[in-house]
Amino acid sequence: PSRTFHGNNRLLTSSIASHFESIIQGEKEVPEYFNFASDVLDKWTQLEKFFFLLCLLMFEGGKKPANPAFWWVNDKGEEVKWSFEELGSLSKKAANVLSEACGLGRGDRIVAILPRVPEWWLLNVACMRTGIVFFPGTSQLTAKDILYRLQASKAKCIVTDDALAPVVESVLSDTQFLKTKLIVGQGSRDGWLNFKELL
């Protein structure tokens, strides 16, 4: 399959397709350890930089590439666009928030009860980077559902938004493993770390 990459099709996809084709045919070994964030996202970041320079020199005369790695649009028409480099950099910052501010490490569990806002993807990729186990939950969960997930997963951290924070707080006395609460929102809340400020 050929995908247009910043206006130049086949330049990128042919090399990636041939790499994976050689793995499928047994010409290359499948890596023993695979991490999507470093083995895919960071490689695309390198390729994006290379092709941006190539486009700068040959085709587009200094324009930033038009195809984002991440493009989020909400129902109000607000957009967030990140290049591979921006997504990689932000996910590394998010990984630092989880590791340093939240004190989480490989194998620790985090429950994320968020609508599909950009931070949901950052946290997901940050968990891949660090080996933290990511448990997503829909924002339609009740207090009983949230408590069950926290107890069953033995999560050390929960991430939610302003709307669900009071629901989470209503079950905190029944949780024994939870150490950190992250909120994705504009304001502050007692006992919660603000993800956007830490990022």
Side-chain angles (χ1 to χ4, degrees), residues 79-91:
E79 296 182 349
V80 173
K81 288 184 183 181
W82 294 323
S83 66
F84 285 97
E85 183 176 15
E86 290 165 329
L87 179 57
S89 175
L90 287 168
S91 68

